[in-house]
Structure formats: structure tokens, C-alpha cells
Amino acid sequence: MPSMTAAPALPECVTLMICAACGTHPFTAAPDHTFRCPCGSWITSRDIDLDGDETWAVTRAGELAFLPGPAAAWERYTGARTVMENPGVWGPELEDAHRAFLEALAELEAAQLLGVKLPPDADVQIGRVYLACVLNPDGTLSGSNGEALGWPCEPCAPYSYDPARQERHPCRNPRAHVWSQVRDWERNRNPTGREFVVRSPIAPDLPTARRMAAEKCVQRAAALSA
């Protein structure tokens, strides 16, 4: 899932496909649509043998990899989310649903990162970091608060009257939370003259999302001043 800090080069659920001949190097995509190893071995897509629930993809570095199929991951995601949204479920059953939700979400985001097509009804929030942004008078980004699916979230947990015992559950509605914050800012802080907007880049981590949002704000400001 999108990380709140810098994300690793490859998600944990992605495995590079190592050449069986040398047992050392991963296969790399070649211009002739084959996958080649430095030892001289090569294969085609027809030679890739995977389990039924797995799929293959090519990483940004051109290396052949395999990962859980998004169809099966989406089924586990929706099943876990159904349990999480049932107010009558708590304790170990709810904790198991949290783990299943986060694992399936990580697999779906890995598929998206590697260009594997997600199911047509997949949640549009997958892979996105939603940012409540404060803009400077010139339209550039002043600051932002971020939310994403799966991040620890107080609004997605049952409300506790004791703040010291307020839980944080994996976030299920980052888009709604961020829009709510922007509307609150507009009601309470708008006399400052600043503008509040939502940005939702597809990004692997919070620093990257903020950089992408800042670039988008600069482009928008330049277009409006042209």
C-alpha cells in the first residue's frame, strides 16, 4: 500500500523470476519480446509457468516478476472490508479482517504499480494518496495532510469517549476524510484568503505524492496566470 514514508523499490508480494539455469540472475525483458539472463538463457511468455492465482509483469527496471493475481486479491479485499464494516464484529475476527484487508490491498497496489489491469469494479481509491492541500496566494502548494487506504485512521475506528483509548483502524475512506477536512477549512479558515483543494495522485508513498501535488499546483498556477 502507499507508504507514509519512502516506499521500497518493489512491494513484498512481488518476486523476481530467477533463471533456473544459473540460479542467480532474474530474467530481463529484451527488445525481441523474450526474457534473457546474463548467463545466456532465455524464455518467452509462453514458457512462464505460474500457479492459478498468480500473474506475471515486468518491473520498471525491466525485470520479469510474478505476483498474486488481482482478481483473487480483489475478492479477498472485498470480503475483508465487508467484515470490517459490520459493527457487530470485534476482537480476533476483526483483527483477522484487518490483516486480510491490508494484505489484499498491498497486492492490488503492487499490480497497479506494475501495470497489471485491476478488476473493472475495483475501488478507485486503490494506489492513491489523497491530500488536503493549502495553497499560497500564488497558487503554489503551502502544505498538505495525507490519507490513503490502509493507513492508521481514527475516523474508521469505533469512537471512544476516552481519547487515550481511541483506536486506529485501517482507513477505508480516505477520499471522504480529505474532502471533509477541506470543507472544514473552508468554513473555519477561509478569511485568510488561502485556497484549499484536494489532490489525489497515484503514488507509492507520501513524499512522492506531495511532490506530485506540488508540481500539479505549479502547473495550474502557471496556466491561470498565462
Side-chain angles (χ1 to χ4, degrees):
M1 75 195 63
S3 169
M4 297 182 72
T5 57
L10 279 177
E12 291 184 3
C13 60
V14 177
T15 304
L16 295 180
M17 200 168 292
I18 303 299
C19 171
C22 68
T24 303
H25 303 287
F27 286 106
T28 302
D32 62 356
H33 302 292
T34 63
F35 300 98
R36 297 186 175 270
C37 175
C39 76
S41 298
W42 61 276
I43 61 173
T44 69
S45 59
R46 295 180 179 179
D47 301 314
I48 300 173
D49 184 19
L50 299 173
D51 293 336
D53 288 340
E54 293 179 330
T55 188
W56 64 269
V58 177
T59 71
R60 293 179 179 177
E63 296 169 324
L64 182 60
F66 63 93
L67 66 157
W74 174 243
E75 184 176 351
R76 286 184 280 110
Y77 172 95
T78 55
R81 182 161 179 159
T82 298
V83 174
M84 292 165 63
E85 292 176 348
N86 183 344
V89 176
W90 57 282
E93 185 178 357
L94 182 58
E95 293 173 1
D96 289 343
H98 287 174
R99 282 191 290 270
F101 176 83
L102 293 173
E103 289 173 1
L105 176 60
E107 293 171 8
L108 290 165
E109 288 172 344
Q112 184 183 62
L113 178 67
L114 296 181
V116 178
K117 188 176 181 179
L118 299 185
D121 55 346
D123 192 336
V124 296
Q125 299 176 111
I126 291 173
R128 294 187 181 275
V129 178
Y130 287 83
L131 298 168
C133 300
V134 182
L135 304 186
N136 293 312
D138 64 356
T140 58
L141 183 66
S142 173
S144 63
N145 292 336
E147 298 283 353
L149 281 172
W151 287 7
C153 178
E154 289 186 4
C156 283
Y159 178 74
S160 172
Y161 289 99
D162 181 356
R165 302 187 64 179
Q166 178 62 53
E167 297 180 355
R168 288 183 156 205
H169 288 185
C171 185
R172 304 188 305 275
N173 298 295
R175 179 173 56 185
H177 299 333
V178 166
W179 273 108
S180 178
Q181 183 170 43
V182 164
R183 293 188 184 104
D184 286 343
W185 286 348
E186 289 175 339
R187 284 194 298 267
N188 301 322
R189 304 185 187 181
N190 217 24
T192 63
R194 291 190 172 183
E195 184 181 359
F196 309 112
V197 299
V198 171
R199 293 285 179 263
S200 56
I202 294 178
D205 53 74
L206 182 56
T208 301
R210 283 177 167 156
R211 175 181 56 78
M212 295 172 68
E215 292 171 353
K216 185 73 173 179
C217 290
V218 168
Q219 294 171 3
R220 177 175 178 268
L224 291 175
S225 63

